[in-house]
Amino acid sequence: MQNEDSISALEKLRRLLEVERQEDKKFYREKMRQIEFKYRREKGVCWFPVRLQSDKFGIGGRVQIELGRTNDLGKPHLFQSGGVVSMFVVRGNGEEHIFADGVVSRLDGDMMRVMLNQDHLPNELIEGKIGVYVAFDERTYQDMDAAIQQVIRAENNRISELRELLLGQARPQFKPPNPSLELPNLNPSQNEAVRRIAAAQDIAIIHGPPGTGKTTTLVAAIVHTLKTEKQVLVCAPSNTAVDLLAEKLDQAGVTVTRMGHPARITERLIDITLDGRFEKEPDYKHYRELIKKSEQMRQQAYKFKKTFGRAEREKRKDMVAEARRIKQDAYELEDYIIYRICEGSQVIATTLTGAGSNMIRRRKFTTVFVDEAAQAIEGAAWIPLLRADRLVMAGDHQQLPPTIKSIEAAKAGLERSLFEKTIRKHPETAVMLKRQYRMHEKIMHFSNRMFYRNELEADEKNRLHQLSPTQNPIEWIDTAGCGFEEKRDPETLSRYNEGEADLLLKHLEMLLEQLSQSSDYEGKDLEKLSIGVIAPYKSQVKLLRERAKNYEHIKHFNDQISIHTVDGFQGQERDIMYICFVRSNEKGEIGFLSNTKRTNVAMTRARKKLVLVGDSATLSQHEFYEKLLAYIDDIEAYRSAWELGFAL
């Protein structure tokens, strides 16, 4: 039975996804808008002309080509491994003609390897001047919309039941918990989460605040589930998150097959990818022989010219038909090999959108596990749900939400994940992990109070760990009154603050000098320190990276220092973390710093030392930062830039 509330919510989701798709496409087109050809090359979105260095056939008979740049050698570009690209040819009249799409499988200097989405070598590769450019990929939006429509249409089946549980009025059901279920190496709240998952008949959630061992708990829950289920589906919104989970499960002795395009999967997992397992199958050699024979016959057939007589044309027709028949045999063998690999796997691991692939679409799972679910756009989260009877999500809705380009769609609700909606609607499905293993307790305390109801506790191993006995684990360097006004890049509209950048780098230089001279550290200990610098704006990140080159001591630690936006540090940690807030103006405007979840992520990346650099006069006009500054005062962590001599 369909519920009007749930159907209405899904129809709204479809509309918002269309708004987001248009904004995403517009964003891309603005980057690629009708600019002169030479400028596209200069912007790094196009290589032209390129030289075809080699070609071969991979799984599914897909063509893999290797391209070399012929000009702009060594110049920066926007291509990336795993990115979608379009191949084009420039003909004699100067017109550009797109003849193939593909995915970048490898980048090495001025060489690019591309896996084309077709099973024959395009004639255009030898027809004229060829080039390649970064393409906009709409398939994700198409897959999300198709999944949502299927959920809307569902009646009297498990999909419709899950729809009403997640969006309607139905309540999740649980079996009586097993109090004797205690897994070794898990703490009490982690074991409680595993028990909740084991008892859940519909939905269960692991709420994992920073440093609480969410991935460890999820892996343990998956291993325990496999005692009663032959196979589970494991997903995450990003390839990086899927890779991490697949690697941990492989290390735990679970048979994992990592699905997805090989270009998007880290090389260290190649042995457990579908492609890696495929090549180890006993029938692989025969499969390759069929593909090779088919292509040789096709090429031989097309050597016949149009001027040939009827008999020659008939012979060519027969040869082309035979080439197709052989290739069809290869495809059937490929399907059988893939089926055998999947049947022998305890875990199928893929991205959320990858769960809609043909290889998985034919399979049904009792349970789907979704990691980093709070970062997943809702449309993508429904794709794996079409394949499973039960949903387990892990994440933290108090950290970064899904990335949404359309402000309109975000404000209308697209920024709220299915994870966040579910944990608020059905809090009984969730267990929050309460012991954190990352931060000094002073670094943890403010986020604990503001986001986690003061339920977190620092483990004894890290509760008091810091850089040295003389180092306060937190410092706020206040730039109020220093004249460090923010500026705006007229081209990118991103904000930056030169005064704060220099102050931060001077402080970091001073800290590293102090540690180098401290008896608490020897050379090798210093080499192990990890250091991060977070700025909310890309222009500030760029500025910090450029100016860091001017500091001798910082350059010495260059390999240990990362400078990124908040998004670049999600899921990571550093011994020392600096945050540069940038905003400094008379109106007290702080822009998207008012999204305090981003600040929560930034602050909780630090393990032993957190340094905050910002203008208290501007930031304290927001309630969150007013409370943060009050906490800084309470723990005597406040420092003025004037007091430290950095404002001169």
Side-chain angles (χ1 to χ4, degrees):
M1 182 177 176
Q2 292 186 330
N3 177 283
E4 287 186 10
D5 290 341
S6 60
I7 300 301
S8 175
L10 289 167
E11 291 289 5
K12 178 183 177 182
L13 176 60
R14 287 188 68 204
R15 292 193 297 273
L16 293 180
L17 283 170
E18 176 57 22
V19 172
E20 173 67 5
R21 184 185 71 83
Q22 293 294 347
E23 184 65 24
D24 200 0
K25 196 170 186 177
K26 178 184 173 185
F27 180 81
Y28 175 78
R29 282 180 172 172
E30 284 178 356
K31 192 184 290 183
M32 292 282 289
R33 63 184 181 273
Q34 306 298 316
I35 55 177
E36 287 186 40
F37 198 65
K38 64 177 182 179
Y39 292 121
R40 270 189 270 168
R41 283 170 35 197
E42 289 176 6
K43 291 285 185 181
V45 296
C46 172
W47 285 7
F48 178 82
V50 291
R51 180 177 61 256
L52 179 64
Q53 295 180 326
S54 66
D55 61 82
K56 64 179 182 178
F57 290 85
I59 287 180
R62 288 177 296 185
V63 178
Q64 185 168 281
I65 59 175
E66 198 165 281
L67 307 169
R69 261 170 146 173
T70 59
N71 53 30
D72 304 319
L73 300 180
K75 288 187 178 180
H77 56 78
L78 297 179
F79 292 96
Q80 57 183 348
S81 184
V84 179
V85 296
S86 291
M87 297 292 306
F88 65 92
V89 61
V90 177
R91 293 185 168 135
N93 58 4
E95 273 189 21
E96 293 177 35
H97 166 67
I98 297 173
F99 64 85
D101 294 319
V103 175
V104 179
S105 60
R106 185 181 175 189
L107 278 166
D108 186 5
D110 293 312
M111 184 278 291
M112 180 192 304
R113 188 176 295 162
V114 178
M115 195 169 287
L116 301 181
N117 298 325
Q118 54 193 64
D119 59 5
H120 65 276
L121 198 63
N123 293 328
E124 288 88 345
L125 285 172
I126 55 173
E127 184 179 289
K129 289 186 176 180
I130 59 172
V132 57
Y133 69 78
V134 179
F136 178 74
D137 188 4
E138 296 194 66
R139 284 173 297 179
T140 296
Y141 289 101
Q142 294 165 354
D143 291 344
M144 287 192 288
D145 189 65
I148 296 165
Q149 288 192 62
Q150 189 173 339
V151 176
I152 289 172
R153 292 192 301 267
E155 288 192 61
N156 302 318
N157 58 20
R158 187 54 175 162
I159 296 173
S160 65
E161 290 173 355
L162 287 171
R163 179 188 67 215
E164 300 312 317
L165 283 162
L166 291 162
L167 301 175
Q169 301 305 313
R171 307 300 301 181
Q173 301 298 308
F174 294 86
K175 296 179 290 186
N178 178 6
S180 64
L181 176 53
E182 290 279 341
L183 299 180
N185 304 320
L186 295 189
N187 65 44
S189 63
Q190 290 172 333
N191 266 308
E192 184 187 352
V194 174
R195 286 193 292 271
R196 187 71 53 90
I197 291 167
Q201 295 181 292
D202 308 297
I203 308 161
I205 290 175
I206 300 173
H207 179 196
T212 54
K214 170 181 63 68
T215 302
T216 298
T217 308
L218 188 59
V219 168
I222 293 169
V223 171
H224 179 75
T225 301
L226 287 169
K227 292 181 179 179
T228 54
E229 297 177 23
K230 179 185 175 184
Q231 187 178 77
V232 299
L233 178 61
V234 171
C235 301
S238 70
N239 282 291
T240 301
V242 179
D243 286 348
L244 175 62
L245 206 49
E247 187 172 22
K248 296 288 186 185
L249 286 164
D250 181 56
Q251 291 169 354
V254 174
T255 305
V256 183
T257 295
R258 171 66 164 99
M259 311 293 279
H261 201 292
R264 295 188 173 104
I265 301 170
T266 182
E267 287 188 13
R268 67 178 180 273
L269 296 183
I270 192 65
D271 287 343
I272 65 170
T273 62
L274 177 62
D275 291 61
R277 293 197 184 283
F278 193 99
E279 291 179 2
K280 292 178 182 176
E281 285 288 308
D283 291 324
Y284 174 71
K285 185 178 180 181
H286 180 47
Y287 165 80
R288 291 292 301 163
E289 288 170 350
L290 289 173
I291 290 289
K292 185 177 180 181
K293 185 176 180 181
S294 170
E295 181 59 21
Q296 286 173 341
M297 188 166 289
R298 191 189 73 85
Q299 289 179 356
Q300 186 177 350
Y302 282 103
K303 285 181 181 178
F304 290 97
K305 299 179 181 178
K306 293 180 181 178
T307 54
F308 281 7
R310 180 178 177 182
E312 286 80 8
R313 284 197 298 273
E314 286 298 320
K315 186 174 182 181
R316 179 174 65 181
K317 182 179 176 181
D318 290 342
M319 290 180 72
V320 170
E322 179 65 7
R324 287 175 179 165
R325 186 193 66 75
I326 295 170
K327 184 163 281 189
Q328 184 58 39
D329 287 345
Y331 287 165
E332 289 176 5
L333 178 58
E334 175 185 295
D335 286 344
Y336 170 70
I337 294 172
I338 290 172
Y339 173 81
R340 193 163 61 195
I341 291 169
C342 290
E343 277 294 291
S345 301
Q346 294 173 285
V347 167
I348 302 294
T350 183
T351 58
L352 293 169
T353 52
S357 73
N358 289 330
M359 297 169 193
I360 298 176
R361 191 174 291 141
R362 306 167 193 162
R363 309 190 74 79
K364 187 70 177 176
F365 305 86
T366 301
T367 307
V368 56
F369 291 85
V370 180
D371 196 11
E372 303 295 356
Q375 293 179 57
I377 193 168
E378 184 182 344
W382 284 104
I383 296 174
L385 268 174
L386 300 176
R387 322 269 168 259
D389 294 329
R390 196 171 72 114
L391 171 65
V392 177
M393 293 186 283
D396 180 12
H397 56 299
Q398 301 296 357
Q399 295 189 62
L400 293 182
T403 300
I404 307 297
K405 288 187 172 67
S406 167
I407 297 173
E408 175 191 347
K411 287 182 176 178
L414 194 59
E415 199 173 48
R416 290 188 69 199
S417 64
L418 191 62
F419 178 99
E420 182 174 359
K421 290 180 180 179
T422 306
I423 201 171
R424 296 193 187 284
K425 186 180 181 68
H426 301 302
E428 71 276 16
T429 63
V431 172
M432 189 177 89
L433 307 182
K434 296 180 179 179
R435 186 179 299 171
Q436 71 87 8
Y437 299 91
R438 176 183 298 165
M439 296 161 269
H440 188 287
E441 62 181 358
K442 284 186 178 179
I443 298 174
M444 174 194 77
H445 182 77
F446 183 73
S447 288
N448 192 16
R449 174 154 57 98
M450 298 298 292
F451 297 100
Y452 305 111
R453 305 183 299 274
N454 276 326
E455 292 182 31
L456 295 181
E457 58 181 33
D459 188 71
E460 282 300 315
K461 293 178 182 177
N462 58 278
R463 186 173 70 86
L464 297 176
H465 72 178
Q466 54 199 85
L467 290 176
S468 71
T470 60
Q471 286 288 337
N472 194 328
I474 303 183
E475 285 185 65
W476 179 296
I477 313 300
D478 191 5
T479 64
C482 294
F484 294 166
E485 290 284 318
E486 66 186 68
K487 295 179 182 178
R488 195 175 192 182
D489 187 314
E491 186 175 328
T492 65
L493 303 182
S494 182
R495 310 222 177 225
Y496 64 98
N497 189 317
E498 294 173 296
E500 283 194 9
D502 287 331
L503 185 152
L504 184 152
L505 293 168
K506 287 176 184 176
H507 188 280
L508 176 56
E509 176 99 337
M510 180 187 73
L511 175 62
L512 293 173
E513 286 178 359
Q514 289 174 352
L515 293 176
S516 298
Q517 297 166 10
S518 170
S519 59
D520 297 310
Y521 283 89
E522 296 180 359
K524 289 186 178 180
D525 293 327
L526 275 175
E527 290 172 7
K528 294 176 183 176
L529 276 181
S530 57
I531 304 161
V533 179
I534 289 178
Y537 296 93
K538 290 181 179 177
S539 285
Q540 187 74 355
V541 169
K542 181 181 178 182
L543 179 66
L544 284 161
R545 287 176 176 170
E546 288 173 351
R547 297 203 174 181
K549 298 172 185 176
N550 300 325
Y551 292 82
E552 288 302 319
H553 223 76
I554 291 176
K555 283 198 294 185
H556 180 73
F557 290 87
N558 190 53
D559 293 341
Q560 297 159 243
I561 300 175
S562 304
I563 304 175
H564 289 293
T565 59
V566 180
D567 304 73
F569 282 102
Q570 175 74 1
Q572 300 182 40
E573 60 184 58
R574 296 291 187 273
D575 293 312
I576 303 169
M577 181 61 73
Y578 279 76
I579 303 174
C580 188
F581 287 112
V582 177
R583 301 308 298 262
S584 178
N585 55 75
E586 293 180 358
K587 296 180 181 179
E589 295 176 347
I590 63 171
F592 61 76
L593 286 180
S594 58
N595 182 346
T596 57
K597 290 181 180 180
R598 302 184 72 82
T599 305
N600 180 40
V601 174
M603 293 175 63
T604 54
R605 301 308 95 197
R607 297 180 65 239
K608 299 179 179 180
K609 177 85 173 179
L610 174 65
V611 182
L612 308 162
V613 179
D615 182 347
S616 63
T618 298
L619 296 169
S620 63
Q621 295 185 50
H622 188 284
E623 182 183 9
F624 175 86
Y625 295 98
E626 182 183 27
K627 290 179 178 178
L628 174 56
L629 281 158
Y631 173 65
I632 293 296
D633 275 337
D634 288 344
I635 62 172
E636 299 180 346
Y638 178 87
R639 299 289 183 272
S640 166
W642 291 98
E643 169 196 342
L644 295 170
F646 289 150
L648 300 177

